[in-house]
Amino acid sequence: MSVSKQYLSIHDHSRELSGLKYIYSVISRRAGGLSIGINLNVNNACNWQCIYCEIPNLTRGSPPPIELDVLENELRLFLHDIIHGDYMERNVAIEDRHLKDIAFSGNGEPTSAAEFPQVILIVKKILQEFDLLHKIKIRLITNGSLMHEASVLKSIEMLEEINGEVWFKVDAATEETIKTVNQVNLKPNQILERLLNTANICPTFVQTCIFMINGKSPDDKDIDAYIELINKAKKIIKGVHLYGLARPSLQPRAGDLGRISEEELKNIAKKLIGLNIPTTVSY
């Protein structure tokens, strides 16, 4: 059976398809179905600038003030169309017609929004209206950069109370490669500290994008440092999501990037699994 071109795809996570300001939907490889996204960074501003990011015109910064009433109305209308309307039939292939989560993701770091705690309360309110509270996951996809700030960690406590889950980005574990991939000056121990802060509050998975740069896959030094960092957190994290590039980067170094082989990705997964760290691979 052929799939209509209108169907959502893992290869296109455009936020504009919904026609809304804050709410959009995607087919998530790692969630395994339809994900409702909440994009708080509508100005395409992020405090990181990962070289593989697919966001167009990405700039450094934080989001503008959130119009909470607009966000609430959009989420309510979107959920109504999915649950009571024909959204699934119009936009989602049969095998993906499962509402898996509501995800804070979008075009920048969600926790950099001052209104992030208020948005969590809005999500809770609307899930209660649709009798979905604790029936679907509420996921935060984050670079973890602010997980040393008390106000952000308080928000993570709120997230945990509504069946929340954190997907915490760890793409590299040496200072040099962190700077190359994420374009920030962070030490591996700072990433580890923030990962532990998060995982001690809310169920947390590490998510890691692995790819080639200038035709070269990560070397043994980078892989060993990454494995070592994850191993230090293995007692409290829920697992690791490894994935390769699925969508083209829209950043200046896009031409330098390439997909690693599925075999290479699985070899890294084997090392993690060998340390009793639950690991999934999305190629």
Side-chain angles (χ1 to χ4, degrees):
M1 176 180 175
S2 62
V3 176
S4 168
K5 291 182 180 179
Q6 71 179 351
Y7 286 165
L8 297 171
S9 164
I10 63 169
H11 302 294
D12 185 358
H13 279 194
S14 172
R15 322 303 186 210
E16 288 73 37
L17 294 176
S18 70
L20 303 176
K21 183 171 185 177
Y22 297 108
I23 306 300
Y24 65 100
S25 62
V26 299
I27 301 301
S28 170
R29 289 182 294 167
R30 296 184 292 285
L34 183 70
S35 174
I36 297 176
I38 298 179
N39 176 24
L40 302 180
N41 303 72
V42 295
N43 58 345
N44 293 11
C46 186
N47 58 353
W48 287 18
Q49 196 164 18
C50 302
I51 61 175
Y52 59 83
C53 184
E54 74 264 23
I55 302 305
N57 305 311
L58 184 68
T59 59
R60 297 279 186 150
S62 55
I66 308 300
E67 298 178 75
L68 295 172
D69 56 338
V70 173
L71 189 152
E72 180 175 340
N73 289 334
E74 287 186 352
L75 182 56
R76 181 178 289 110
L77 290 170
F78 206 81
L79 263 176
H80 186 276
D81 196 15
I82 289 172
I83 295 170
H84 301 297
D86 61 353
Y87 184 87
M88 289 286 199
E89 288 75 12
R90 287 186 286 112
N91 297 282
V92 182
I94 293 174
E95 62 271 18
D96 294 321
R97 290 176 188 169
H98 314 279
L99 177 57
K100 290 294 185 178
D101 64 22
I102 293 177
F104 290 98
S105 183
N107 295 11
E109 172 52 38
T111 63
S112 64
E115 300 87 352
F116 183 58
Q118 295 161 271
V119 178
I120 292 175
L121 292 177
I122 287 173
V123 171
K124 179 180 179 180
K125 172 185 174 182
I126 293 178
L127 288 177
Q128 287 172 325
E129 290 179 13
F130 286 90
D131 193 28
L132 287 174
L133 189 61
H134 299 294
K135 293 181 180 179
I136 62 172
K137 285 289 183 184
I138 313 302
R139 292 190 166 103
L140 167 64
I141 301 174
T142 176
N143 60 30
S145 58
L146 302 176
M147 295 301 183
H148 60 299
E149 297 188 1
S151 60
V152 176
L153 293 174
K154 184 65 177 178
S155 297
I156 303 307
E157 291 179 5
M158 296 168 58
L159 189 72
E160 191 277 333
E161 293 172 359
I162 60 171
N163 198 29
E165 185 175 278
V166 177
W167 288 2
F168 189 112
K169 178 196 297 290
V170 180
D171 292 324
T174 65
E175 285 188 59
E176 180 182 2
T177 308
I178 292 166
K179 188 171 184 177
T180 296
V181 173
N182 306 126
Q183 300 198 75
V184 290
N185 293 309
L186 274 179
K187 298 180 184 299
N189 66 296
Q190 292 176 296
I191 291 177
L192 177 61
E193 178 187 16
R194 293 166 194 186
L195 173 60
L196 295 176
N197 286 345
T198 308
N200 275 316
I201 295 172
C202 187
T204 299
F205 287 83
V206 169
Q207 61 165 10
T208 303
C209 187
I210 301 179
F211 49 91
M212 295 193 299
I213 301 177
N214 294 323
K216 296 180 180 179
S217 298
D219 60 23
D220 290 341
K221 176 185 174 183
D222 279 317
I223 293 173
D224 290 345
Y226 171 78
I227 298 292
E228 180 182 358
L229 188 153
I230 302 302
N231 194 39
K232 289 178 179 177
K234 74 176 183 180
K235 291 183 179 179
I236 60 172
I237 63 172
K238 295 301 181 182
V240 175
H241 298 312
L242 293 179
Y243 60 104
L245 295 177
R247 295 172 296 280
S249 168
L250 295 179
Q251 305 315 308
R253 293 198 62 184
D256 299 337
L257 311 185
R259 300 189 76 192
I260 69 166
S261 70
E262 186 173 10
E263 181 181 3
E264 288 178 284
L265 205 56
K266 288 182 176 179
N267 284 339
I268 297 171
K270 286 178 183 177
K271 293 184 178 183
L272 292 168
I273 293 168
L275 294 170
N276 296 316
I277 301 170
T279 305
T280 61
V281 173
S282 300
Y283 182 65

